[in-house]
Each structure stands twice: as C-alpha cells, then as structure tokens.
Amino acid sequence: MSNKEEKPEDKQSWKDFFYNPRTGEFIGRTASSWALIFLFYLVFYGFLAGMFTLTMWVMLQTLDDNTPKYRDRVANPGLVIRPRSMDISFNRSDPGQYQQYIQHLESQLQQYNDSIQEQNDLCMVGEYTEQDEVPEKKVCQFKRSVLRQCSGLSDTTFGYAEGKPCILVKMNRIIGLKPRGNPYINCTAKRETFLQMQYFPKEGSLDKMYFPYYGKNLHPTYVQPLVAVKLLLSKEDYNTELSVECKIEGSDLKNNDDRDKYLGRVTFRVTVSE
C-alpha cells in the first residue's frame, strides 16, 4: 500500500478551523482561552479609559469657565469696521449701490438703540468699571444717539446719499483688557493732501468706563464702544480710490506691528462717484 495514503481520521475539514467538535475549539482556541483574552483586553482598555478620564478631569479643574487660561496671543485688540467691507465703492446718485452698506450699519446699531441702552447703567466717565467681585456684571450705556450725524437717526442714509459716508470703527473684545491712558481712534487718508473727517463721539474717544469686559457668560448684554468716522469728501475726491487707515492712539495698545496689519489698526478703501 502506498505511503501517501492518508487515514480518514487524519484529514481535517476547513470547517474544523472555525469550530472543531472533537476539541471544542473555535478558530483555534477553546472557550476558556477566548474568555481569558477577552478579560485581558477588557481590563487593559478599561484602565486606559480610566487614566484618560482622570487626566481630563484634573485638567478641567485648572480651567475657568469664564476666562481663558492663556491669553498671551491676544493681549492687544484688533480693529474692525462696519459696514463689513474693506473696499467701499458706490455712486451717491444710485441708492441701490449703497443700500447694502446702510443695511449693515443699521443692523450693527440695533443693539445700541436708546430704548435698549436706557436699561443699562450710567457709569463714571473716565474710570474703569471694575466688577471682579460682583456676580452679575452691569453694562454701561452707549446710546446710538451719541453718534449724531452717523447714528442713522437724523440721516437714514448715514451720509452715503450726500457722498460723505460714515464708517463705524470698533475694537475686538478681549476679556480683562484695561487700556492705559485715554484711547481714541484716529484716521488718516494715505495721500499728500489732508482729508477732513468728523468723529463721533467727540475726538473719537473710547472711554475707559467700557472696560474691562468679563466675557460672554458674565457679560452677556455687553456692548463695546464705537467710534463713527464721517469722511467729508468733496467733489474733487470723487472717482478716486482713497485708502484710509484708522489706529488706536493715546494708550499702551499696539498699533504698528508689521506682522499683523489689523492689530490696533485697520485699513480700508473708499471710492465715491456721482
């Protein structure tokens, strides 16, 4: 008889790999072996999950829900303008061309309506409104009417119809910021001749009573101070692109960092035609 002849009991079916009825093995392991492996991984991953949870809990104990722990990257505020456009261009004779700018300004000023601001507090002018120990932070009044010709109350077109547009300038909110000195906004046109402008409030002041800001949770109804700049363009200025730069002056806030053109300053372009 040939040696290559195999006995029937030596033959293994591929089905035996998944379950062997003679040994009781499933995919090469007995039930007790699989139970030990499952128990090992259950304990191992349970330990890892516990360590991760403990680490996260310890870290969260060091955080404040109202104040960021690290604020070194935003120690100085940037400036932004409204309407929300760095390139303002329109024909003063065509309301359709400047309607979008009017809508942006009107939307921005809704929360500054006198009827809403009268519900807020009258604060001491020229002094910080510090409320570190007060659980419910008060909000200082900033009435829309103080913007006068740029309030949109007496002139609903904010000067765009007459070719003398108003621009709103404001600082970004930074929790705990208390600028030293007497900060104000100053704008200049980048050209050889002087461009006349009007500021509201007077002299573009950002009064210290609106600082510090305590964050969205503690200061939910806070409104930051605005400065309205009215560009008094003449006919000689029409059909020419004017580049205007506004800066925070009179304080310790940075406004000349070449790496960030929006830190303490903002530049925009205005082109008016008729």
Side-chain angles (χ1 to χ4, degrees):
M1 184 178 288
S2 173
N3 293 332
K4 294 183 180 180
E5 215 174 67
E6 296 180 353
K7 296 181 180 179
E9 58 269 17
D10 293 335
K11 292 183 178 180
Q12 269 194 335
S13 168
W14 62 271
K15 296 180 180 180
D16 292 339
F17 172 74
F18 292 99
Y19 178 70
N20 191 325
R22 294 186 299 276
T23 61
E25 294 178 345
F26 175 71
I27 313 181
R29 292 183 179 276
T30 62
S32 59
S33 177
W34 280 115
L36 290 173
I37 290 175
F38 178 78
L39 180 63
F40 169 79
Y41 281 108
L42 181 65
V43 173
F44 177 69
Y45 286 113
F47 174 77
L48 291 181
M51 284 293 295
F52 175 77
T53 303
L54 178 63
T55 303
M56 290 296 295
W57 181 83
V58 172
M59 184 191 70
L60 290 174
Q61 302 313 299
T62 67
L63 301 179
D64 189 326
D65 292 338
N66 302 311
T67 306
K69 186 172 183 179
Y70 299 107
R71 294 179 287 168
D72 56 314
R73 295 185 61 185
V74 288
N76 288 272
L79 285 186
V80 295
I81 67 166
R82 296 293 182 268
R84 192 181 286 109
S85 175
M86 294 292 104
D87 194 350
I88 299 172
S89 178
F90 64 94
N91 186 317
R92 74 185 189 96
S93 302
D94 184 359
Q97 292 193 19
Y98 56 78
Q99 187 62 33
Q100 58 176 325
Y101 303 132
I102 294 176
Q103 290 175 349
H104 287 170
L105 293 173
E106 186 64 38
S107 175
Q108 174 67 34
L109 292 174
Q110 285 301 304
Q111 59 185 329
Y112 293 89
N113 284 335
D114 289 14
S115 58
I116 296 177
Q117 289 302 309
E118 285 172 357
Q119 302 173 22
N120 295 331
D121 293 89
L122 287 171
C123 300
M124 189 67 68
V125 176
E127 295 184 10
Y128 298 122
T129 307
E130 299 189 77
Q131 310 173 74
D132 295 344
E133 306 302 325
V134 181
E136 186 175 347
K137 314 300 181 186
K138 67 179 181 180
V139 177
C140 297
Q141 288 186 12
F142 189 101
K143 291 185 176 181
R144 175 176 180 171
S145 56
V146 303
L147 301 179
R148 299 176 60 191
Q149 289 97 313
C150 289
S151 66
L153 299 176
S154 58
D155 178 9
T156 57
T157 69
F158 295 91
Y160 284 77
E162 59 176 337
K164 298 178 180 180
C166 289
I167 308 295
L168 299 181
V169 184
K170 64 178 181 178
M171 292 194 308
N172 292 331
R173 300 179 181 183
I174 294 183
I175 296 175
L177 177 68
K178 293 192 292 184
R180 297 178 183 176
N182 296 294
Y184 65 93
I185 298 297
N186 182 54
C187 300
T188 56
K190 295 183 178 181
R191 66 178 190 179
E192 294 182 359
T193 57
F194 176 75
L195 176 61
Q196 191 175 0
M197 305 179 194
Q198 283 184 306
Y199 297 91
F200 310 101
K202 188 178 180 182
E203 298 178 352
S205 174
L206 294 166
D207 199 280
K208 290 193 289 187
M209 67 177 170
Y210 299 105
F211 304 95
Y213 168 57
Y214 287 92
K216 191 173 182 179
N217 290 339
L218 297 178
H219 237 158
T221 59
Y222 173 85
V223 292
Q224 60 224 87
L226 302 174
V227 170
V229 183
K230 188 177 183 65
L231 306 179
L232 302 179
L233 304 180
S234 63
K235 288 189 176 182
E236 289 74 22
D237 299 316
Y238 292 167
N239 303 309
T240 302
E241 182 179 87
L242 297 174
S243 181
V244 181
E245 181 180 59
C246 296
K247 289 185 175 183
I248 301 174
E249 305 280 7
S251 72
D252 60 338
L253 301 176
K254 294 181 180 180
N255 63 8
N256 56 0
D257 191 336
D258 293 333
R259 296 172 298 177
D260 189 345
K261 62 181 180 179
Y262 294 108
L263 189 65
R265 58 181 174 172
V266 63
T267 301
F268 57 93
R269 295 174 298 276
V270 177
T271 304
V272 179
S273 58
E274 63 175 346

